[in-house]
């Protein structure tokens, strides 16, 4: 088993990465259904929490069926990040995670997210402020460094462990890479194999198949894997990875009935959490991903995204089952989207 302070996870846990505009409660619950062992909220601004903005307050919502779940915050000011940690403490998630990895220009320009990678002393102070401000286990998600000349993750891991973090998730890219190129897991392995490091180390970046998950598990020796982009529209990645690691066999692709069931479950959770109008609207971006591979899907897609009536959405999904009766999906490679591809450096 793997332990993050008092949180007990299975051997080689699979974590759902926190993703802006993706990992909301409705999406988290379908990932949990399919085998995710630990999940996180979308990242939340420390200043927004202190100012009690509606957006940040909404992102604090967690539910018992998701546990264990962590709330992730970001910020570049010690005092404000510490105050935000105190607010999170009152919500009682299972852990508090600090985002030092987000590469979005709007976050970085405020000296937060991966912008903190330019100042390791500040990163240590920010982390220490959170550890002191909460009784929750504090974890960190970060990147290898700012650019190819400042890959300082080995120093970062030691210093953050020294101030009290309980686990570290490392995306194998620099901030300047964004999501381009190939993730470098060799440096993640160096952190894991450092005899000074005794906290769990989770690897993140480019896991897009059960085969790669097992290969990286064996090659790099990390304590677990964090999966992000591969889960977008495909929460079954978690169960497929677990099955392959356990048996060496690939599961067949999820059936149309399974895909429709997940669409309905996420839709209903979205309605409960967001309300009718917003809940239907938020689901529109998911249908293409869930139902990718259906031939001549354009007409059904148009019906799905042009109605505000939840019952009509479910009726269209039921029509799909009739129209495509007997259709079998092929197990095809997952295409990783270039997350935030339009964000400039």
């Amino acid at each position: 088993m793997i332990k993050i302070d008092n949180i007990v996870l299975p051997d080689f846990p699979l974590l759902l990465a926190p993703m802006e505009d993706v990992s909301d409660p409705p999406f988290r619950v379908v990932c949990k259904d399919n085998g995710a062992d630990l999940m996180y909220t979308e990242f939340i601004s420390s200043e927004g929490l202190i100012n009690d903005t509606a957006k940040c307050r909404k992102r604090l919502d967690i539910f018992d069926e998701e546990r264990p779940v962590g709330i992730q915050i970001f910020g570049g000011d010690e005092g404000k990040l510490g105050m935000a940690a105190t607010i999170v403490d009152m919500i009682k998630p299972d852990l508090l995670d600090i985002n030092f990895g987000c590469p979005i220009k709007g976050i970085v320009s405020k000296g937060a997210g991966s912008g903190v990678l330019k100042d390791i002393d500040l990163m240590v102070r920010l982390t220490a402020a959170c550890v002191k401000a909460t009784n929750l286990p504090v974890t960190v998600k970060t990147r290898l460094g700012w650019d190819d000349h400042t890959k300082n993750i080995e120093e970062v891991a030691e210093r953050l462990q020294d101030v009290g973090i309980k686990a570290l998730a490392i995306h194998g890219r620099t901030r300047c890479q964004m999501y381009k190129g190939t993730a470098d897991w060799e440096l993640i392995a160096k952190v894991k194999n450092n005899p000074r490091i005794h906290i769990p180390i989770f690897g993140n970046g480019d896991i897009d198949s059960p085969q790669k998950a097992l290969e990286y598990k064996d090659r790099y020796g990390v304590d677990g894997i964090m999966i992000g982009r591969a889960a977008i529209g495909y929460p079954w990645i978690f169960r497929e990875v677990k099955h392959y690691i356990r048996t060496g066999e690939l599961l067949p692709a999820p059936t149309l009935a399974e895909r429709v069931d997940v669409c309905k479950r996420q839709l209903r959770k979205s309605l409960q959490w967001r309300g009718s109008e917003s809940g239907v609207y938020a689901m529109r971006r998911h249908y293409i991903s869930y139902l990718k591979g259906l031939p001549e899907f354009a007409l059904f897609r148009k019906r799905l995204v042009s109605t505000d009536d939840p019952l009509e959405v479910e009726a269209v999904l039921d029509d799909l089952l009739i129209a495509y009766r007997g259709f079998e999906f092929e197990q095809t490679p997952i295409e990783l989207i270039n997350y935030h591809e339009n964000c400039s450096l």
Side-chain angles (χ1 to χ4, degrees), residues 196-226:
R196 275 208 62 209
I197 297 296
H198 55 77
I199 58 174
I201 301 298
F202 303 117
N204 174 232
D206 294 349
I207 299 298
D208 58 4
S209 69
Q211 299 96 314
K212 185 177 285 188
L214 179 58
E215 176 190 352
Y216 280 30
K217 172 183 182 290
D218 293 341
R219 182 186 298 180
Y220 300 111
V222 292
D223 294 296
I225 284 176
M226 179 177 279

Short mmCIF file of all heavy atoms in Angstrom, two decimals, residues 196-226:
data_model
loop_
_atom_site.label_atom_id
_atom_site.label_comp_id
_atom_site.label_asym_id
_atom_site.label_seq_id
_atom_site.Cartn_x
_atom_site.Cartn_y
_atom_site.Cartn_z
N ARG A 196 17.48 10.20 0.01
CA ARG A 196 16.94 11.15 0.98
C ARG A 196 15.42 11.25 0.91
O ARG A 196 14.78 11.71 1.85
CB ARG A 196 17.52 12.55 0.72
CG ARG A 196 18.87 12.83 1.37
CD ARG A 196 19.00 14.33 1.63
NE ARG A 196 17.97 14.79 2.56
CZ ARG A 196 17.46 16.02 2.58
NH1 ARG A 196 17.87 16.92 1.69
NH2 ARG A 196 16.54 16.37 3.46
N ILE A 197 14.84 10.84 -0.20
CA ILE A 197 13.40 11.00 -0.40
C ILE A 197 12.65 9.80 0.18
O ILE A 197 12.92 8.65 -0.16
CB ILE A 197 13.07 11.15 -1.90
CG1 ILE A 197 13.72 12.42 -2.46
CG2 ILE A 197 11.56 11.17 -2.12
CD1 ILE A 197 13.20 13.71 -1.86
N HIS A 198 11.70 10.10 1.07
CA HIS A 198 10.91 9.02 1.68
C HIS A 198 9.41 9.21 1.48
O HIS A 198 8.62 8.37 1.91
CB HIS A 198 11.22 8.91 3.17
CG HIS A 198 11.03 10.18 3.94
ND1 HIS A 198 9.79 10.65 4.31
CD2 HIS A 198 11.94 11.08 4.41
CE1 HIS A 198 9.94 11.79 4.97
NE2 HIS A 198 11.22 12.08 5.04
N ILE A 199 9.00 10.31 0.84
CA ILE A 199 7.58 10.52 0.56
C ILE A 199 7.23 9.88 -0.79
O ILE A 199 8.11 9.65 -1.62
CB ILE A 199 7.23 12.02 0.53
CG1 ILE A 199 8.07 12.75 -0.54
CG2 ILE A 199 7.42 12.66 1.90
CD1 ILE A 199 7.68 14.20 -0.74
N PRO A 200 5.95 9.56 -1.03
CA PRO A 200 5.56 9.01 -2.33
C PRO A 200 5.84 9.99 -3.47
O PRO A 200 5.60 11.19 -3.33
CB PRO A 200 4.06 8.76 -2.17
CG PRO A 200 3.83 8.63 -0.71
CD PRO A 200 4.81 9.58 -0.07
N ILE A 201 6.33 9.46 -4.57
CA ILE A 201 6.58 10.24 -5.78
C ILE A 201 5.71 9.69 -6.89
O ILE A 201 5.79 8.51 -7.24
CB ILE A 201 8.07 10.16 -6.19
CG1 ILE A 201 8.98 10.67 -5.07
CG2 ILE A 201 8.30 10.96 -7.49
CD1 ILE A 201 8.78 12.13 -4.69
N PHE A 202 4.87 10.58 -7.44
CA PHE A 202 3.97 10.19 -8.51
C PHE A 202 4.42 10.82 -9.82
O PHE A 202 4.72 12.02 -9.87
CB PHE A 202 2.53 10.62 -8.19
CG PHE A 202 2.02 10.07 -6.88
CD1 PHE A 202 1.67 10.91 -5.84
CD2 PHE A 202 1.88 8.70 -6.70
CE1 PHE A 202 1.19 10.40 -4.64
CE2 PHE A 202 1.41 8.18 -5.50
CZ PHE A 202 1.07 9.03 -4.47
N GLY A 203 4.45 10.02 -10.87
CA GLY A 203 4.85 10.52 -12.18
C GLY A 203 3.66 10.92 -13.02
O GLY A 203 2.58 10.30 -12.94
N ASN A 204 3.84 11.95 -13.84
CA ASN A 204 2.76 12.48 -14.67
C ASN A 204 3.33 12.92 -16.01
O ASN A 204 4.39 13.51 -16.07
CB ASN A 204 2.09 13.66 -13.94
CG ASN A 204 1.05 14.38 -14.77
OD1 ASN A 204 1.09 15.59 -14.91
ND2 ASN A 204 0.11 13.65 -15.34
N GLY A 205 2.58 12.61 -17.08
CA GLY A 205 2.98 13.08 -18.40
C GLY A 205 3.01 11.98 -19.43
O GLY A 205 3.78 11.02 -19.31
N ASP A 206 2.12 12.07 -20.43
CA ASP A 206 2.12 11.21 -21.61
C ASP A 206 1.61 9.79 -21.39
O ASP A 206 1.74 8.95 -22.27
CB ASP A 206 3.52 11.13 -22.24
CG ASP A 206 3.99 12.44 -22.81
OD1 ASP A 206 3.17 13.37 -22.90
OD2 ASP A 206 5.18 12.55 -23.15
N ILE A 207 1.02 9.48 -20.23
CA ILE A 207 0.46 8.15 -20.05
C ILE A 207 -0.84 8.07 -20.85
O ILE A 207 -1.83 8.71 -20.51
CB ILE A 207 0.20 7.83 -18.57
CG1 ILE A 207 1.50 7.86 -17.78
CG2 ILE A 207 -0.49 6.48 -18.42
CD1 ILE A 207 2.52 6.84 -18.22
N ASP A 208 -0.82 7.29 -21.93
CA ASP A 208 -1.98 7.24 -22.82
C ASP A 208 -2.44 5.82 -23.13
O ASP A 208 -3.29 5.61 -24.01
CB ASP A 208 -1.68 7.98 -24.13
CG ASP A 208 -0.46 7.40 -24.86
OD1 ASP A 208 0.11 6.39 -24.39
OD2 ASP A 208 -0.08 7.97 -25.90
N SER A 209 -1.90 4.84 -22.42
CA SER A 209 -2.31 3.45 -22.66
C SER A 209 -1.93 2.60 -21.47
O SER A 209 -1.01 2.94 -20.70
CB SER A 209 -1.62 2.90 -23.91
OG SER A 209 -0.22 2.75 -23.67
N PRO A 210 -2.61 1.47 -21.28
CA PRO A 210 -2.21 0.54 -20.22
C PRO A 210 -0.78 0.03 -20.40
O PRO A 210 -0.05 -0.14 -19.42
CB PRO A 210 -3.23 -0.60 -20.37
CG PRO A 210 -4.42 0.03 -21.00
CD PRO A 210 -3.86 1.05 -21.95
N GLN A 211 -0.38 -0.19 -21.66
CA GLN A 211 0.97 -0.69 -21.91
C GLN A 211 2.03 0.30 -21.43
O GLN A 211 3.03 -0.08 -20.82
CB GLN A 211 1.17 -0.99 -23.40
CG GLN A 211 0.22 -2.05 -23.96
CD GLN A 211 -1.01 -1.46 -24.61
OE1 GLN A 211 -1.64 -0.55 -24.05
NE2 GLN A 211 -1.35 -1.95 -25.80
N LYS A 212 1.80 1.57 -21.73
CA LYS A 212 2.78 2.57 -21.31
C LYS A 212 2.79 2.72 -19.79
O LYS A 212 3.84 2.91 -19.18
CB LYS A 212 2.49 3.92 -21.98
CG LYS A 212 3.55 4.97 -21.66
CD LYS A 212 3.29 6.29 -22.39
CE LYS A 212 3.63 6.19 -23.85
NZ LYS A 212 3.55 7.53 -24.52
N ALA A 213 1.63 2.62 -19.17
CA ALA A 213 1.57 2.72 -17.72
C ALA A 213 2.41 1.63 -17.06
O ALA A 213 3.19 1.90 -16.13
CB ALA A 213 0.12 2.64 -17.25
N LEU A 214 2.28 0.40 -17.53
CA LEU A 214 3.06 -0.70 -16.96
C LEU A 214 4.55 -0.53 -17.27
O LEU A 214 5.41 -0.76 -16.41
CB LEU A 214 2.56 -2.04 -17.50
CG LEU A 214 3.32 -3.27 -17.01
CD1 LEU A 214 3.28 -3.37 -15.48
CD2 LEU A 214 2.75 -4.55 -17.64
N GLU A 215 4.85 -0.13 -18.50
CA GLU A 215 6.24 0.09 -18.88
C GLU A 215 6.90 1.14 -17.99
O GLU A 215 8.02 0.95 -17.48
CB GLU A 215 6.32 0.55 -20.34
CG GLU A 215 7.72 0.90 -20.80
CD GLU A 215 7.75 1.58 -22.16
OE1 GLU A 215 6.69 1.64 -22.82
OE2 GLU A 215 8.83 2.06 -22.54
N TYR A 216 6.21 2.25 -17.75
CA TYR A 216 6.78 3.32 -16.93
C TYR A 216 6.84 2.92 -15.45
O TYR A 216 7.76 3.31 -14.74
CB TYR A 216 5.96 4.60 -17.11
CG TYR A 216 6.29 5.36 -18.38
CD1 TYR A 216 6.73 4.70 -19.53
CD2 TYR A 216 6.15 6.73 -18.46
CE1 TYR A 216 7.02 5.38 -20.69
CE2 TYR A 216 6.44 7.44 -19.63
CZ TYR A 216 6.87 6.75 -20.74
OH TYR A 216 7.16 7.44 -21.89
N LYS A 217 5.86 2.15 -15.01
CA LYS A 217 5.90 1.64 -13.64
C LYS A 217 7.17 0.83 -13.42
O LYS A 217 7.89 1.01 -12.42
CB LYS A 217 4.67 0.76 -13.39
CG LYS A 217 4.68 0.01 -12.06
CD LYS A 217 3.43 -0.87 -11.95
CE LYS A 217 3.38 -1.60 -10.60
NZ LYS A 217 4.43 -2.64 -10.50
N ASP A 218 7.46 -0.08 -14.35
CA ASP A 218 8.61 -0.96 -14.20
C ASP A 218 9.93 -0.23 -14.45
O ASP A 218 10.93 -0.47 -13.77
CB ASP A 218 8.49 -2.15 -15.16
CG ASP A 218 7.34 -3.07 -14.81
OD1 ASP A 218 6.88 -3.01 -13.65
OD2 ASP A 218 6.90 -3.84 -15.69
N ARG A 219 9.94 0.67 -15.43
CA ARG A 219 11.19 1.33 -15.80
C ARG A 219 11.62 2.40 -14.81
O ARG A 219 12.80 2.53 -14.49
CB ARG A 219 11.06 1.96 -17.19
CG ARG A 219 12.35 2.63 -17.67
CD ARG A 219 12.14 3.38 -18.98
NE ARG A 219 11.75 2.50 -20.06
CZ ARG A 219 11.50 2.94 -21.31
NH1 ARG A 219 11.59 4.23 -21.58
NH2 ARG A 219 11.15 2.09 -22.24
N TYR A 220 10.65 3.16 -14.28
CA TYR A 220 11.01 4.33 -13.48
C TYR A 220 10.74 4.16 -11.99
O TYR A 220 11.21 4.98 -11.19
CB TYR A 220 10.28 5.56 -14.02
CG TYR A 220 10.63 5.85 -15.46
CD1 TYR A 220 9.69 5.69 -16.47
CD2 TYR A 220 11.92 6.25 -15.82
CE1 TYR A 220 10.02 5.93 -17.80
CE2 TYR A 220 12.25 6.49 -17.15
CZ TYR A 220 11.29 6.33 -18.13
OH TYR A 220 11.62 6.57 -19.46
N GLY A 221 10.01 3.13 -11.60
CA GLY A 221 9.88 2.80 -10.19
C GLY A 221 9.11 3.79 -9.34
O GLY A 221 9.27 3.81 -8.11
N VAL A 222 8.27 4.62 -9.96
CA VAL A 222 7.50 5.60 -9.19
C VAL A 222 6.46 4.89 -8.33
O VAL A 222 6.13 3.72 -8.55
CB VAL A 222 6.81 6.62 -10.13
CG1 VAL A 222 7.84 7.51 -10.80
CG2 VAL A 222 5.95 5.91 -11.17
N ASP A 223 5.93 5.60 -7.35
CA ASP A 223 4.96 5.01 -6.43
C ASP A 223 3.56 4.92 -7.03
O ASP A 223 2.72 4.16 -6.55
CB ASP A 223 4.91 5.82 -5.14
CG ASP A 223 6.22 5.73 -4.37
OD1 ASP A 223 6.57 4.62 -3.93
OD2 ASP A 223 6.90 6.77 -4.23
N GLY A 224 3.30 5.70 -8.04
CA GLY A 224 2.00 5.69 -8.70
C GLY A 224 2.05 6.63 -9.89
O GLY A 224 3.06 7.32 -10.12
N ILE A 225 0.97 6.66 -10.64
CA ILE A 225 0.90 7.47 -11.85
C ILE A 225 -0.29 8.41 -11.77
O ILE A 225 -1.38 8.04 -11.33
CB ILE A 225 0.78 6.57 -13.10
CG1 ILE A 225 2.14 5.94 -13.43
CG2 ILE A 225 0.26 7.35 -14.30
CD1 ILE A 225 2.09 4.97 -14.60
N MET A 226 -0.06 9.65 -12.20
CA MET A 226 -1.13 10.62 -12.31
C MET A 226 -1.51 10.74 -13.78
O MET A 226 -0.65 10.98 -14.63
CB MET A 226 -0.68 11.98 -11.76
CG MET A 226 -1.72 13.07 -11.86
SD MET A 226 -1.17 14.63 -11.11
CE MET A 226 -1.50 14.29 -9.37
#
